[in-house]
Amino acid sequence: VATTRFQGENPELDGLYGDLAEADLQPLWLQERLLTAAPPQRSVPFCWKAKDVYPLAERARRLVPIERGGDRRVLMFSNPGMGGWCMATSTMSAAIQILGPGEIAPAHRHTAAAIRFILEGSGAVTLVDGDAIPMIPGDLVLTPNWTWHEHHNPTDERVLWLDVLDLALVIWLDAMFFEPGPDAPDPGPSPSGSTSERRFGRSGIVPVSGAGGGAYSPLFVYRWSDVDAVLDDILGGIAAHHASVRYSDPVRGGDVMPTLRCEAHRLRPGGAADFGRATGSAMWTVFTGEGVASVGDSTFEVEPGDTYVVPSWCPHRLETAAGADLFTVGDAPTFEALGLMRRRPPDAGERSER
Ligand code: GTQ
Ligand code: FE2
């Protein structure tokens, strides 16, 4: 940077800069936001409130039919820091998806991996590689990289869920591929649970041969009733006011997918949790209860269905008067795999753990 002071005073140097530009070269010493002391966050702390988003989703449901081409009725969260790109964080898209009674979102597959966290309406079905998964609020459903998926709502009510995909990452990596249908046969009104659950959903027991052991979890759905029971038990056994669980691949034990980490958190009434800061971004959704989230310099009062962003390296703290259950999904596995995960516990000053 020191050398820039000669700019305009030294004709030879000016000539060099001109010739560099002609040759599609740029001097590192003039780049200002490249080798930064800490990441300049692209996405900013932000919260989408259910009371704003749900009515807009309902209007979209009435006005916009699901057609081939669009395929999905999805309101994408467009982070104000992302310059108008419809991404929630620098690696992830997030959205509210709504399906009316009798509607079908047709089959397709893509290299971006997705999770859904069900927020409203019981009995819609997502088929993942042909396996019909009935969904009720609080359930987590995976549609991993390149798995066929389609959504059916055979019920009389609208259903609404949170979608989160590693879409910004996949697009940045020039790795996006997409392929439409064939639609699977209609699963009918109430399939009796999925094959993936029957084979992989009993804790500690996995088939010796068959699927699993690949890059993503062969269990495509995690039931809220199970999450609820574990959180309850953890909090019952300790004096702390915060319990958390991680959704894991029952065969390999790691995260559910190579790019996304999912967790559920419960705070007792009057409880608080301080997460410090970490590289990587995350979406947090309130399932039940209420709370106040501090993310960087922002404060959000959150209620069920509200979703907020914790950008990379932003301090994050939660507190609640009435108690709260939250679901979170983030890109931590990518950071860990690439040696880019860095954490700073709360109150650690400038010291960070690598
Ligand atoms: O439900 O398959 O939010 O393909 C974005 C892309 C949801 C889906 C999204 C998708 C889907
Ligand atoms: Fe999709």
Side-chain angles (χ1 to χ4, degrees), residues 209-337:
S209 56
Y216 52 76
S217 169
L219 180 60
F220 295 145
V221 58
Y222 298 76
R223 300 293 177 189
W224 182 258
S225 53
D226 292 332
V227 170
D228 181 52
V230 179
L231 289 174
D232 222 42
D233 192 70
I234 298 172
L235 274 190
I238 56 174
H241 40 219
H242 170 221
S244 54
V245 293
R246 185 169 297 168
Y247 299 81
S248 76
D249 179 329
V251 175
R252 287 178 303 108
D255 287 293
V256 292
M257 296 189 288
T259 51
L260 296 173
R261 170 167 298 168
C262 300
E263 293 176 352
H265 291 250
R266 173 167 293 167
L267 293 177
R268 276 192 217 275
D274 196 332
F275 300 99
R277 53 171 75 177
T279 46
S281 53
M283 307 301 298
W284 284 74
T285 297
V286 180
F287 182 52
T288 60
E290 55 75 41
V292 179
S294 310
V295 186
D297 295 330
S298 301
T299 302
F300 307 119
E301 288 181 20
V302 287
E303 299 168 323
D306 293 357
T307 298
Y308 62 91
V309 176
V310 179
S312 186
W313 209 235
C314 261
H316 175 211
R317 193 173 181 283
L318 254 175
E319 59 187 51
T320 174
D325 286 342
L326 295 101
F327 168 78
T328 179
V329 49
D331 55 15
T334 302
F335 284 71
E336 289 177 356

Side-chain angles (χ1 to χ4, degrees), residues 80 91 151 169:
T91 58
H151 313 298
L169 176 71

